[in-house]
Amino acid sequence: MRRLLLAAATATFALVTTPAAAAGGTLDPVLDPAADRIATADLVAAAKWGTGKPIEDPARERQVLDRVSRRAAELGVDPDVAVRVLRDQIEASKLVQRAWHGHWAAHPDQRPERRPDLGEVRPEIDRATEAILLGLRATAEVRTGPSCPSALAASYHRTAEDLIPLHRLGLARASTSLC
């Protein structure tokens, strides 16, 4: 009887995991560049610190999202999905920037010594954004399948294990609309 229960449980597990396995079963192609993009928020925060430049920049965000929509269409990715995912990335970046600004305000001795020019940082952000779009294309089957939440959890844990806690929080925020 135990063998039958074990066999039934194993068969059920195989049925649940098969769609993800067939599609590669991972969201790493999206989460890895998402983590890279979140890491750039540290540089953006440093660039804006003490300059009076606001963390919120709706005009710039609109430009980025318009470009994402166009590029997604070129790549065969649903532009609405791409915009939604990249909007989450932007919100995650702002979360990280606000945290750094709060930290630096409370700990003046830890403020950044160098403020990079945003023009230096944007190519890295653009590279990560392109990689996210390519990842969205590569993971379409996983993201729309029933195993997406478990694939997301597994990819999140793999990607987040080497991140600082603030970046883990940012990655969690950035991945809310992947499934």
Side-chain angles (χ1 to χ4, degrees):
M1 185 64 160
R2 285 185 184 179
R3 283 188 185 158
L4 289 175
L5 290 174
L6 181 59
T10 304
T12 301
F13 180 74
L15 288 174
V16 170
T17 59
T18 299
T26 180
L27 291 174
D28 292 4
V30 178
L31 288 196
D32 288 343
D36 292 343
R37 195 175 193 285
I38 288 162
T40 65
D42 298 356
L43 297 172
V44 174
K48 292 179 179 179
W49 175 255
T51 65
K53 291 182 181 177
I55 290 173
E56 299 279 337
D57 189 350
R60 174 74 181 149
E61 292 171 25
R62 184 75 259 151
Q63 289 173 346
V64 169
L65 294 175
D66 288 347
R67 193 172 67 243
V68 161
S69 179
R70 287 190 302 275
R71 183 65 179 136
E74 292 170 4
L75 292 171
V77 174
D78 181 336
D80 293 335
V81 170
V83 166
R84 192 169 49 249
V85 169
L86 266 295
R87 183 174 288 119
D88 286 345
Q89 284 286 313
I90 290 168
E91 293 304 317
S93 177
K94 292 188 291 191
L95 180 149
V96 170
Q97 291 175 56
R98 283 188 202 99
W100 280 123
H101 282 205
H103 179 79
W104 295 329
H107 303 280
D109 59 313
Q110 295 178 15
R111 291 177 179 164
E113 295 178 16
R114 174 175 141 12
R115 287 191 194 111
D117 182 83
L118 285 175
E120 296 173 29
V121 180
R122 285 189 176 132
E124 184 62 23
I125 294 170
D126 292 344
R127 184 204 60 74
T129 299
E130 178 74 7
I132 290 167
L133 291 173
L134 292 170
L136 289 174
R137 183 176 67 185
T139 61
E141 188 175 333
V142 175
R143 288 182 300 97
T144 58
S147 64
C148 187
S150 61
L152 177 57
S155 289
Y156 173 84
H157 288 291
R158 268 192 304 278
T159 304
E161 71 183 354
D162 295 327
L163 301 180
I164 64 171
L166 178 57
H167 292 171
R168 284 186 205 132
L169 182 62
L171 185 62
R173 173 62 184 95
S175 61
T176 57
S177 61
L178 286 176
C179 293

